[in-house]
Amino acid sequence: GVVISQVQNVQVLQRLVDSALRLTRDEPLDETLHNIVGEAMEVLSSVSTVTLYAINEQDDIVLAAYQGERFPNQMKSRPPYDSTVVEHIVKRDTKIVVTDVSAEPLFQQSGFANREGIRSVAAYPLISGGRHLGCMFFGYRRRHLFPDAEISALSLFAQLAAAELLYDRLDRELKKKAELEQYIVQGTLGNEFIHRLDGTIAGMLDHIEEIDDLVGTDPAISELLDLLRIKTDGLGRLSADIRQRLNGLVREVKRELRPLGPFVEQVMEQLKREAPPNVNMSFHSSMPTFTYAIDPLFVESLLSHLLRNAWDAIPDSRDGRIEVTLEEHDNWIRIAVRDNGLGIAEAYRIRVFEPLFSTKNSSKERGRGLTISSWIAKLHGGRLALGPSDTTGTTFFFDLPVETE
C-alpha cells in the first residue's frame, strides 16, 4: 500500500480546514458534499472511487456524491437499494476496513464492487451528534494496505461529511422548529381569542335581547339595537372565519406511521446526552410494538419539553429518576412522564399550560413549552394533562386516541 507522506498529511489537514470553513457559508449541501468527495480523490491519490450516501428528510438513503466510477450511468440515485451493503454500513457504529473484498462476506455479492473491480474498501458510517446520517465508501481497484496515517485521513473526510450533513439537518430542523413554535403559539392564542370572542358575542346577544324586552318600543333604542345586532353578526362571521383558517392549518400537520414505542425510546436516547449527570432516564412499554400516525417533529418537540422540564425540576443533590411508560388507559394510548423532582405547587397547577407562564427563574425560559406541547397533543386528537405532583415528583400524561380501522 501507499503510505501517506507528511506532506500529504499537511495537505489533507489543509483541505479539511478549508472545507470546515464552509460550514458557515450559504453553499448548497450537494455542492459541499461533491467538493468533499473531489478533495478526497485529489489528495488521497491511491483511492479509486469515493461514494457518499445520505439519509434524507424522508429517512430514505440517497446517493449524495460520487467520483471515480467507470460506470456512472449504473449508479443509483434513488432508493430502495437492492444491495444490503449500503444499508448495513449506514446502521453500523464503527468503520469497516477490508484489504481483500473477496474474503469479506458483506462485499462478496456487492454489485458495485464487482462492476467497478474494487479489491479493497474502507467503509464509514456517518455519525454525528448520535445520529446516523449516511455512509461513505473509499474503494481501491488494487489490493491496498491501510496504514494508520491513511485510516486517520479517511476518517477525517468521513467526519467532515458527517458534520456537513448534521449541520444541514440541524439548520433545517431549527428553521422548522422556529416556524413550528410561531405557528403553535399563534394557533394557541388564536383559539384562545376565538373562545373569548364567542363568549363576548353570546353575552352581547343576551344583553341586546334583554334591552329589547325592556325598552325596545322606543324607536331610537330599537334602531341602536338593530345596529348592535349587525355588529354582533359581523363578529360572529369573523370568529367563524378565524376558526376555519386555524382548522385549515391543523390539516397541514404532516403525520406519518411510526412505531410509537421505538420512537419514544429514540427521542430519549438523543436527550440522554443533555441530561444532568445525576438523572437516570428509563422507558417501559406494556404494549406490543405498533405503528401510530404522528408528526415526528411535533411529537419529538412535545416529548423533549416534558423530559427537559422533568430534569429541571430535580435538584442536583438528588438521585434523579425520570420514568417514561407507554400503556393503554381507558381507550387512550398513554405516554406518562414521571420524575422525582420538587413538584409543582398547588397554586400553579391551573396555570401550567398558560402561554408565557413559567415557574423557572431563568430569563431564557419564555413559558411556552407546555403551551406548545398541549397544542401539539390537540393536533393529534389527544390531550396533555398534569397528573399527581408533590414534593416527591410530578407526572404528566400525553394521551392519544386509540386508532380504529
Side-chain angles (χ1 to χ4, degrees), residues 26-36 54 64-65 161 163-169 172:
D26 294 327
E27 184 178 77
L29 177 65
D30 58 349
E31 184 177 335
T32 300
L33 296 178
H34 279 288
N35 286 336
I36 292 173
E164 290 283 3
L165 290 169
L166 180 66
Y167 176 84
D168 178 74
R169 179 174 293 191
R172 282 188 279 107

Side-chain angles (χ1 to χ4, degrees), residues 107-383:
F107 293 99
Q108 285 174 355
Q109 302 301 319
S110 170
F112 177 79
N114 293 331
R115 182 177 69 245
E116 297 288 338
I118 301 299
R119 297 286 306 280
S120 302
V121 171
Y124 289 80
L126 301 180
I127 305 172
S128 189
R131 302 187 183 196
H132 288 258
L133 305 166
C135 61
M136 195 168 184
F137 293 85
F138 301 89
Y140 301 76
R141 293 193 176 95
R142 293 183 179 181
R143 190 171 183 275
H144 188 78
L145 300 178
F146 292 89
D148 292 342
E150 185 161 4
I151 290 177
S152 297
L154 299 177
S155 299
L156 286 171
F157 275 108
Q159 289 168 5
L160 177 61
E164 290 283 3
L165 290 169
L166 180 66
Y167 176 84
D168 178 74
R169 179 174 293 191
L170 291 178
D171 184 55
R172 282 188 279 107
E173 289 183 1
L174 285 172
K175 288 178 181 177
K176 188 173 181 181
K177 284 186 178 181
E179 294 171 0
L180 161 67
E181 181 170 304
Q182 182 180 11
Y183 152 61
I184 293 290
V185 171
Q186 287 178 349
T188 303
L189 296 179
N191 272 275
E192 185 178 335
F193 169 75
I194 289 175
H195 179 72
R196 293 180 179 178
L197 180 59
D198 286 345
T200 301
I201 293 170
M204 288 177 64
L205 288 173
D206 289 342
H207 287 307
I208 289 171
E209 298 311 318
E210 287 177 4
I211 295 172
D212 195 13
D213 290 341
L214 292 172
V215 290
T217 55
D218 187 312
I221 293 177
S222 179
E223 184 177 349
L224 287 173
L225 291 177
D226 287 339
L227 287 173
L228 283 173
R229 288 189 179 98
I230 293 172
K231 292 289 187 183
T232 305
D233 183 61
L235 288 174
R237 289 197 300 272
L238 173 63
S239 174
D241 179 65
I242 294 173
R243 180 177 283 107
Q244 183 177 2
R245 289 168 184 253
L246 289 173
N247 288 338
L249 285 174
V250 169
R251 286 193 293 273
E252 292 177 5
V253 174
K254 297 179 180 178
R255 297 179 70 171
E256 56 190 64
L257 287 174
R258 289 290 185 93
L260 191 58
F263 179 83
V264 174
E265 285 189 283
Q266 180 184 359
V267 173
M268 293 179 67
E269 283 299 320
Q270 292 175 357
L271 286 176
K272 280 182 179 178
R273 299 175 181 83
E274 302 178 28
N278 65 308
V279 174
N280 178 63
M281 294 195 292
S282 63
F283 173 78
H284 173 73
S285 174
S286 62
M287 304 178 69
T289 301
F290 66 98
T291 58
Y292 196 92
I294 59 172
D295 185 303
L297 181 60
F298 281 26
V299 174
E300 179 183 347
S301 177
L302 181 152
L303 294 172
S304 297
H305 280 308
L306 294 183
L307 291 169
R308 287 191 170 95
N309 282 351
W311 74 51
D312 283 345
I314 300 173
D316 294 340
S317 58
R318 186 174 295 183
D319 289 332
R321 297 190 312 276
I322 300 176
E323 300 171 352
V324 181
T325 57
L326 175 63
E327 61 185 359
E328 190 168 348
H329 179 83
D330 292 339
N331 292 321
W332 292 87
I333 296 170
R334 168 163 287 182
I335 299 173
V337 179
R338 300 178 177 87
D339 65 63
N340 65 336
L342 297 175
I344 297 173
E346 185 66 29
Y348 294 147
R349 287 184 64 91
I350 62 173
R351 300 192 61 193
V352 292
F353 295 109
E354 290 182 10
L356 305 181
F357 175 77
S358 176
T359 59
K360 299 177 183 178
N361 295 323
S362 173
S363 60
K364 295 181 181 180
E365 294 297 333
R366 294 172 293 175
R368 291 178 176 174
L370 289 176
T371 304
I372 293 172
S373 298
S374 178
W375 186 241
I376 290 173
K378 292 176 183 177
L379 291 178
H380 289 78
R383 61 193 182 189

